[in-house]
Amino acid sequence: MPATHSVAGKPATNRRVLIGSLSGSAIEWFDFFLYATAAAIIFDRYFFPTQDPLVSLMLSYISLSLTFFIRPFGGIVFSHIGDRIGRKKTLVITLSLMGGATVAIGLLPTYAQVGVLAPILLILCRIVQGLAIGGEWGGALLLAYEYAPEHRRGFFGSVPQMGITIGMLMSTVAFSLVSMLPDEQFEAWGWRLPFIASIVLVFVGLWIRSGLADTPAFREAKASGTIAKLPIKDTLRDHWRSVLVAIGAKIIETAPFYIFATFVVSYATGVLDFEQSVVLNAVSAGALISTIAIPVMGSISDRLGRPAVFMVGTVLIAAFAAPFFLLLGLQLDWAVYAAVIIGLGVVWPPVTATLGTLMSEIFSTRVRYTGVTLGYQIGAALAGGTAPLIATWLLSRYDNAWGPIAIYLAVLATISLVAVLFARPVVRGEAERLRRREEAEARSNVTEEAQ
């Protein structure tokens, strides 16, 4: 694997780094998941109304999934800044953009008020969110990973991943609270409150990050003059195979998450007639347990290795896909809790806890932000935002919905297993090709000077 040049800081510095990485990540994902939750329960009626409720829900999910294809572009822009100028400055920009777009969503007029302008404005805000989250994840990850002591990289790399479930937990709790309002108040203005209130969290996150210096690895690369002039060019020229490995690893982390946490809301409430509060509370419980399990899995990976923990989680996800829907099919409240808690809190954490560190270890410092961001965001575009959409389509197409969806998840698991198995040979091959090219260029330069 490429050298990481990680320099461990003092315990107080490491704590501040972890808090800065986690807080910003949690706030960004809180804003992001507010939209995902609202897309399942409110946006279909207020921004995409049609005569067919299924069509409205599909349109709402399309608005959710479209932005996943924007995330790679945000990743390219902000990873360029991160690899050229620094991780910290990038994180300030992305957090500010996300907060502004989220507050704007809370203030938007509905379709009934301004017609087609409403969904257009909503999608524009969502695009800004997608651009911001495209650059945020890589920066938050590397802030933790590049400060980590060598023997604790798995744990440090898992901490920003906790931001995903913490953000989701905060968003579902926020919607659970406003859902307690009388229906008329919730419909009129209650759903807007979590979006508008997020501005407070953004200011807190910016304040926490303001006292952090850039990472030791980036400062070392800058001092040695090894900063890439055009990181995206170097990444795609020298490390495109590693990018494919990262994409392959990402898809089994992202698709099951959106099935277990987002699709389940509309499926359980719309098809199985569960109370909305029951499902949201189950998702909150699953997110809470997952938040605890993620750093535990990260620490275990420091002892057993990232690939081993990742692959165990991948196999567990594939094995649990069918039982997840069978539990929901019992149409009992405890079964909903069991399905979501096992999905989010047991089988998913080994994958998400190790994903960031696994990706970081296959790229060198000079292109690490770009490499991990491309792999993560392209994988998210291919299998993340599309997962609820595909699951909804399979649900409408087949009577036995859980069967095709379970097969879909099993196929993704297979792809990810193959990608991780080939990670080390791919990295070694790229390093050897790069070494040979550099030697050839050095010989060519010597020849030119001699002439």
Side-chain angles (χ1 to χ4, degrees), residues 11-191:
T13 301
N14 287 342
R15 283 195 297 271
R16 189 175 181 90
V17 165
L18 291 177
I19 292 171
S21 175
L22 176 60
S23 61
S25 177
I27 293 164
E28 291 262 7
W29 286 109
F30 168 71
D31 290 350
F32 198 77
F33 287 127
L34 282 180
Y35 191 103
T37 303
I41 64 177
I42 196 79
F43 286 164
D44 56 335
R45 292 177 289 116
Y46 278 74
F47 290 91
F48 305 98
T50 67
Q51 294 181 346
D52 187 340
L54 177 61
V55 173
S56 295
L57 183 60
M58 291 285 284
L59 290 173
S60 183
Y61 277 146
I62 288 173
S63 75
L64 173 68
S65 63
L66 279 176
T67 56
F68 280 79
F69 296 95
I70 300 298
R71 284 166 61 173
F73 296 101
I76 291 171
V77 172
F78 292 115
S79 63
H80 176 84
I81 297 172
D83 275 331
R84 287 283 298 159
I85 299 175
R87 289 31 169 156
K88 178 185 172 180
K89 292 180 180 179
T90 308
L91 292 173
V92 171
I93 297 171
T94 56
L95 189 55
S96 300
L97 282 175
M98 176 64 82
T102 303
V103 172
I105 290 174
L107 300 174
L108 288 180
T110 64
Y111 188 92
Q113 294 171 320
V114 297
V116 72
L117 181 62
I120 291 174
L121 292 174
L122 180 67
I123 290 173
L124 287 176
C125 289
R126 184 61 173 171
I127 287 173
V128 174
Q129 283 190 323
L131 291 171
I133 202 69
E136 163 69 22
W137 179 83
L141 168 68
L142 297 186
L143 184 65
Y145 176 80
E146 291 182 346
Y147 264 102
E150 185 174 355
H151 64 286
R152 300 196 70 196
R153 288 177 187 147
F155 171 74
F156 271 60
S158 71
V159 168
Q161 293 297 87
M162 294 166 63
I164 300 174
T165 50
I166 291 174
M168 185 183 64
L169 178 61
M170 291 192 301
S171 70
T172 52
V173 168
F175 263 100
S176 295
L177 290 175
V178 295
S179 294
M180 296 171 65
L181 291 169
D183 289 344
E184 291 184 1
Q185 295 180 23
F186 174 78
E187 300 281 336
W189 52 265
W191 66 269

Side-chain angles (χ1 to χ4, degrees), residues 10 107 119 127 197 210 228 265 280 289 332 347 398 413 446:
K10 297 179 180 179
L107 300 174
I127 287 173
S210 64
V265 176
L280 291 178
I289 294 174
L332 298 170
V347 304
Y398 297 97
V446 169

